[in-house]
Amino acid sequence: MMYTIIKLRDKRFTVKEHMTMSDNLGDSLSQILLNRTRRIMFNNRVRFGLAKTAALVKNRLRREQLRFVDLKDSGELNETAANERLVHIMELKEEYEHLRFRMFAPLLIDENTDSQKWRCIFRTIRDRKTGIAIFDFVRIYNKWTVASADYLILKALRDLECGEKEKRSSNKIVLAKEYEEKIRKQEELLESYLLDLHDIAIELDIECSIFETLENLDDEFVCTSERSTFKRYSSRRHKPF
């Protein structure tokens, strides 16, 4: 057995934690397997609506930072004014990071292998290969999800700072090219993550029967009428790729 399972005091808490982790894992695996034919590069479950707002705040932050440097270099800032501007800059940084975090946070899968949730998942899984594959999937899935949020913000920033393509000035054309290069590199990163996720998900589904395992674990913890109704991908219900 991969992990030592301790006796948990609150059985209701155990069931809740188990079901949450089981559904999150099954949901994420299904998403990747179903995406194999659609080829969506980024995690389309990331909150799109916040990308534009985050870009607006990021743009304001950059302008405030540049303005602060200009005023400081010109000697126009006294200590009080400088402190006030620095406080405002820190507030904008916090607002941006909060918006960015909200885009991907609900989709992340817990990576703490010592948590009760993971002990529930691995209570009956004895295959070390399956365990390693699951943790590889979770680690890369989380990176892919965070990178997806950064990708959407980057595109929103490009649209905000460069404007419409046909109306760009010479300066904005140069800036747009810089953004295009950054976006291209981010797409390469997302593609790399996605290819790894596809390979691991197929291995877990076909070789490790992960969906059957998760369903069996559900049966062990709760009765059939209480099981989650989430529709998971399963090779038994879909033709193999």
Side-chain angles (χ1 to χ4, degrees):
M1 184 176 293
M2 289 189 61
Y3 302 96
T4 302
I5 308 304
I6 63 173
K7 184 176 181 181
L8 304 176
R9 297 180 180 180
D10 190 339
K11 187 175 182 180
R12 288 175 299 178
F13 175 78
T14 303
V15 171
K16 178 182 178 182
E17 293 294 299
H18 161 76
M19 293 302 299
T20 298
M21 177 63 81
S22 179
D23 280 354
N24 287 346
L25 184 56
D27 191 3
S28 301
L29 284 163
S30 298
Q31 178 190 9
I32 296 300
L33 288 168
L34 292 172
N35 184 38
R36 184 171 171 80
T37 55
R38 296 169 65 189
R39 304 299 297 166
I40 300 174
M41 186 178 301
F42 59 92
N43 190 338
N44 61 348
R45 296 169 62 207
V46 168
R47 298 179 65 178
F48 282 82
L50 292 178
K52 186 175 181 179
T53 305
L56 286 168
V57 175
K58 183 75 170 181
N59 178 258
R60 286 175 55 201
L61 172 60
R62 287 176 177 173
R63 286 190 281 110
E64 287 295 327
Q65 289 172 324
L66 290 173
R67 180 63 174 163
F68 176 81
V69 172
D70 289 342
L71 291 173
K72 187 175 180 180
D73 290 345
S74 65
E76 297 180 37
L77 282 180
N78 57 37
E79 185 176 352
T80 300
N83 288 337
E84 289 176 352
R85 285 189 172 273
L86 285 173
V87 168
H88 183 52
I89 287 172
M90 291 304 300
E91 289 173 345
L92 287 173
K93 283 184 178 180
E94 290 178 2
E95 184 179 358
Y96 168 72
E97 290 298 336
H98 177 65
L99 288 166
R100 176 177 173 271
F101 181 74
R102 285 174 59 196
M103 289 179 68
F104 59 76
L107 303 176
L108 299 183
I109 305 174
D110 183 15
E111 296 184 51
N112 178 15
T113 58
D114 292 328
S115 69
Q116 291 180 339
K117 289 174 282 188
W118 277 113
R119 288 201 292 269
C120 289
I121 289 292
F122 285 103
R123 186 172 184 274
T124 57
I125 294 180
R126 301 176 181 272
D127 181 23
R128 179 175 176 80
K129 179 182 178 182
T130 301
I132 293 174
I134 287 176
F135 284 125
D136 283 344
F137 178 88
V138 169
R139 176 178 53 83
I140 298 172
Y141 182 86
N142 285 344
K143 288 183 178 180
W144 177 62
T145 300
V146 174
S148 296
D150 291 335
Y151 173 70
L152 293 173
I153 293 174
L154 196 58
K155 294 185 71 175
L157 272 169
R158 186 268 315 274
D159 295 341
L160 176 66
E161 296 182 359
C162 300
E164 297 179 13
K165 189 173 183 179
E166 58 275 9
K167 297 182 180 180
R168 289 172 182 168
S169 64
S170 57
N171 289 338
K172 287 189 176 181
I173 289 175
V174 173
L175 183 60
K177 288 181 179 179
E178 293 176 358
Y179 268 114
E180 291 300 331
E181 179 63 17
K182 291 178 181 178
I183 290 171
R184 183 188 65 79
K185 290 182 178 179
Q186 192 70 6
E187 287 175 344
E188 290 178 353
L189 178 64
L190 290 169
E191 182 71 15
S192 175
Y193 286 149
L194 195 54
L195 288 173
D196 288 341
L197 288 171
H198 282 152
D199 291 343
I200 298 172
I202 290 171
E203 175 188 347
L204 285 169
D205 179 42
I206 296 177
E207 297 181 20
C208 304
S209 302
I210 187 62
F211 293 101
E212 182 179 349
T213 300
L214 291 176
E215 289 169 2
N216 290 339
L217 288 173
D218 286 351
D219 288 335
E220 181 178 344
F221 275 83
V222 291
C223 66
T224 303
S225 62
E226 294 175 330
R227 283 192 299 176
S228 169
T229 58
F230 172 76
K231 295 181 180 179
R232 298 194 183 101
Y233 173 94
S234 172
S235 59
R236 293 176 298 173
R237 297 193 294 269
H238 296 261
K239 293 181 180 180
F241 297 111

